[in-house]
Amino acid sequence: MLQGIRVVELATYVAGPGACGLLADWGAEVIKIEAPGGDPFRGFYASVGRDDVENRVFENDNRGKRSIVLNLAQPDDAEVLRRLLATADVFVTNTRPQSLERLGISWEQIRAIKPDLIFANFTGYGPVGEDADKPGFDITAFWARSGLCSLGTVKGGDPAQLRTGIGDHMSAMGLAAGIMAALFHRERTGEGQKIETSLLRMGVYAGSSEHAVQLQMGKLASTKSRPEAINPLNNFFRTADGQWFVAVPRQGADDWPRFARAIGREDVIDDPRFNSIRQRRANGAEVVALLDAGFGAMTWDEARAALTREKLVYSPVLSVGQATKDPQVLAAGCYVDVPDEAGETMRLPATPIDFGAALPPRRRAPALDADGAAIRADLGLASVAGAA
């Protein structure tokens, strides 16, 4: 889909490289600029005390790219980057504005020589404001600062950690969408432009339905425990063999009779404690206890059959290990097998969009500086030594 588009990536960790990984999967040529020590995410397992040679966490966001090492403190290497940007369609970076200015590759400096460039700047907290220059990870800027962590915390409970890269990957999708829109605009007008986004902005957007309620009402209900749920039918339940599942009543319909029939308790359908939304909310703990008893007496296979028979909306709560083997996850194309040069394949998560047109074959993530010599030669700089 993006054949012929060159993307230069000067970014580390997950969100910026993740957005470029999406573009690479969609056919763009992505050139990853790395410092002499490489993207810190190449050392993901070392950072948690492991010595694994294989690193699928890095592979996940960097497959299909080319790598060149540049020591941007050296004038010759900084010039390589400037020349490379003159050939690019898109520049993605999470580098601080002062550093870009010093290198001669700020938006204003690059636009003067490359007016059709798409300049995508990704930060933790945005380009202005008192915290604009603070470093931000997804757990700080996306999860904690945006209100999402609060939304995911049961009242009175401890805040929960955000697992690896979740906010980064949601942000990567948003950044890639912005780049695609800018490319479409350039196709029609010939104009490049600067795109700005941040982990904080993406976090607020991810929770925007709740933010909308807050802006309208001036307050927001806390996240309740299961027995205190505002709608006790919209809840998690566990079967006798230990399988949790979530059930969701449909809006605009009263699914209470379906729940009652699913657990074999038709006798409570017209019970005045439960036969309206208002009454179920007033007696929520009793509703949850009733459903806990009913579903807790069934195996998961029995509960699934009953829920399906009553045409209720539900899903099992799977572990990641279960998800990697789930037939529907596999049928939905959630994983892709990426070959190396020897033809050996590595299974990785797929990017989230399929196109009708065939995409180019995916390749494994490059070794550090794997393409440095070739990229320099393409720029007419074959005689320039690489960074040490």
Side-chain angles (χ1 to χ4, degrees):
M1 304 300 294
L2 295 179
Q3 186 174 5
I5 297 296
R6 171 172 278 188
V7 180
V8 173
E9 170 195 313
L10 181 62
T12 55
Y13 292 100
V14 182
C20 295
L22 286 164
L23 302 178
D25 253 24
W26 299 344
E29 177 196 17
V30 177
I31 298 176
K32 184 178 182 70
I33 309 298
E34 300 190 70
D39 186 329
F41 231 48
R42 288 185 182 272
F44 173 79
Y45 284 103
S47 71
V48 293
R50 295 179 60 90
D51 56 4
D52 301 60
V53 174
E54 184 175 270
N55 184 351
R56 297 198 193 193
V57 179
F58 181 79
E59 290 273 354
N60 186 41
D61 296 307
N62 292 283
R63 61 178 180 252
K65 298 179 183 179
R66 304 172 74 195
S67 170
I68 179 172
V69 166
L70 296 176
N71 182 351
L72 296 178
Q74 300 297 322
D76 286 345
D77 277 8
E79 178 61 20
V80 173
L81 176 55
R82 285 190 289 270
R83 291 202 188 188
L84 193 54
L85 287 174
T87 72
D89 298 285
V90 180
F91 178 39
V92 176
T93 186
N94 60 1
T95 308
R96 294 185 180 185
Q98 299 92 325
S99 297
L100 296 174
E101 184 84 27
R102 186 175 63 253
L103 292 167
I105 56 171
S106 68
W107 163 239
E108 291 76 14
Q109 291 165 318
I110 292 296
R111 180 171 57 174
I113 61 172
K114 182 70 172 172
D116 65 344
L117 183 71
I118 309 302
F119 187 108
N121 189 42
F122 192 88
T123 59
Y125 295 100
V128 297
E130 62 181 3
D131 292 336
D133 289 331
K134 285 190 175 181
F137 286 92
D138 65 345
I139 192 169
T140 57
F142 176 91
W143 183 239
R145 192 70 176 267
S146 71
L148 287 176
C149 182
S150 174
L151 290 173
T153 302
V154 173
K155 185 177 181 180
D158 294 336
Q161 288 280 349
L162 182 67
R163 300 299 289 261
T164 305
I166 291 175
D168 288 309
H169 286 119
M170 293 184 69
S171 299
M173 287 189 286
L175 182 57
I179 291 168
M180 296 296 287
L183 284 169
F184 180 68
H185 174 78
R186 191 187 72 169
E187 184 71 19
R188 293 193 301 176
T189 68
E191 299 173 351
Q193 62 183 291
K194 185 179 184 181
I195 297 171
E196 291 273 9
T197 191
S198 64
L199 287 166
L200 178 61
R201 182 87 170 257
M202 293 292 189
V204 171
Y205 180 73
S208 58
S209 295
E210 301 291 341
H211 280 261
V213 173
Q214 177 69 44
L215 291 169
Q216 177 179 338
M217 308 295 293
K219 60 182 179 179
L220 196 65
S222 60
T223 301
K224 310 293 187 184
S225 64
R226 291 178 57 250
E228 299 173 316
I230 293 174
N231 184 341
L233 304 183
N234 190 356
N235 225 320
F236 294 85
F237 304 98
R238 186 166 56 181
T239 60
D241 48 357
Q243 178 63 57
W244 282 97
F245 69 93
V246 63
V248 183
R250 295 165 294 179
Q251 291 187 341
D254 189 350
D255 278 345
W256 168 243
R258 297 176 187 271
F259 277 89
R261 288 194 296 268
I263 62 170
R265 291 296 306 271
E266 291 87 345
D267 58 298
V268 299
I269 289 176
D270 296 319
D271 189 309
R273 295 171 299 167
F274 311 136
N275 64 358
S276 73
I277 294 174
R278 186 180 296 274
Q279 286 302 110
R280 286 195 295 275
R281 182 172 180 178
N283 297 285
E286 293 177 72
V287 175
V288 173
L290 184 70
L291 295 173
D292 276 350
F295 289 122
M298 302 179 188
T299 65
W300 168 234
D301 286 343
E302 292 168 340
R304 181 171 54 187
L307 292 161
T308 301
R309 182 186 68 242
E310 294 300 330
K311 297 182 173 58
L312 289 165
V313 181
Y314 70 93
S315 174
V317 177
L318 299 185
S319 68
V320 173
Q322 290 173 314
T324 61
K325 301 177 179 65
D326 182 74
Q328 189 55 47
V329 171
L330 299 177
C334 295
Y335 301 102
V336 62
D337 293 322
V338 181
D340 61 16
E341 293 180 356
E344 297 293 326
T345 60
M346 172 183 288
R347 177 153 287 193
L348 294 168
T351 49
I353 306 294
D354 285 331
F355 297 93
L359 294 172
R362 300 167 177 87
R363 306 183 309 277
R364 293 274 292 277
L368 183 63
D369 203 36
D371 307 284
I375 292 169
R376 290 173 185 273
D378 289 344
L379 295 172
L381 299 169
S383 63
V384 178

